[in-house]
Amino acid sequence: MYVSARYIFTNRNRLFLTTLVIFILVTATLSGCQTGEAPPPDSDVEIISKELIEIPGQNPNIDIYKVFYKSDGIKVMAYMTVPKASGKYPLVVHLHGGYALERNELAHYDFGFTFGFKYMSDEVVYLYPLYRGYLESEGHVQGIAENTRDADNAIKMAMSTGQVKKDSVYLIGASMGGGVALRLASERQDVQSVVGVSPFVGWDVNLRWLDEHPDVNSPEIVEENRKTAGYVRYTLINFDPDSKGDYSILDRIPDIQAPVLLLQGTADESLIWQTVEDFAKDMEEAGKTVKLVLYPEGKHGLEDKYEDQRNQESMQWLHKYGLPKSFVLQ
């Protein structure tokens, strides 16, 4: 992470990052938007380009687009799929992991994308925003506030096609993407449900946990978080107190109306798993609909022995709140 202390990914996690992005694209249900309808009048996102692409083995009932759009004046990339059949569809937004603070040296980081659409649904519009600094997006890798704006603007871009069903947004986020999903759910009232896998739940929850456990005999990742949290406290809070909200999710809980599923392993090598447990308790105390599933000895992203269980939990949750049964995770 910035100033050498990483929060979400260490060097050994780069392979995991690649695998995670591949998983997100291969296992998410794809679907889409069609052309021909005028954009909603409140659409204010500039679409720079929209290129129809084809992938071997893709679902023949969908169109796949590589889209560039403007977010904070920055050219950002997203992938979007659109059912060929006319109509309006639920929007599934898949939010990838990344870094919690700016990483200038990681601009245009190569994820090693692989597409596999064999299992994709043609009953949803599927959106995969890349955020600034990733792949072909311009700018530098930023943190949760900027990633959230990029994702929100991507949603506006998808809605400008006129193909998205009203009040029918579903969010799936892993790691940093889990934090982005939670913040989006606090800002958008059209979100129907949220799934967060090994989610980053904000600096304030991490600072609180570290303060409450000063003598913890912790593994290396906790020590790295301790160093990074110290930097965050010193820089963001002491020097710029007004910026604290840009790195928080805890103070957004009152505004989260959508039901939230949190999936977390207790052997997470990339974040303090207890912070996710604490965040779930905070949501419960606020009267929110939240379900926490802990996986004993589960790793970051649950890409290990719990992969099938993670997928089943996610699908059941999304189906429960209205997503078509054709949406499957393989």
Side-chain angles (χ1 to χ4, degrees), residues 229-246:
Y231 163 75
V232 170
R233 174 185 280 117
Y234 186 77
T235 304
L236 298 179
I237 297 178
N238 293 346
F239 277 86
D240 189 8
D242 292 338
S243 72
K244 181 177 181 293
D246 287 342

Side-chain angles (χ1 to χ4, degrees), residues 43-101:
S43 174
D44 57 357
V45 174
E46 178 184 350
I47 299 177
I48 300 171
S49 65
K50 183 180 176 183
E51 176 188 0
L52 182 65
I53 62 175
E54 293 185 0
I55 305 298
Q58 75 179 65
N59 185 336
N61 298 318
I62 63 173
D63 287 324
I64 305 168
Y65 293 96
K66 179 180 180 180
V67 185
F68 287 96
Y69 64 98
K70 284 288 184 74
S71 181
D72 291 349
I74 300 170
K75 182 180 178 181
V76 180
M77 185 175 78
Y79 287 99
M80 180 173 64
T81 71
V82 187
K84 292 182 178 180
S86 61
K88 292 182 181 291
Y89 301 88
L91 177 65
V92 177
V93 186
H94 224 137
L95 302 155
H96 70 77
Y99 291 86
L101 290 177

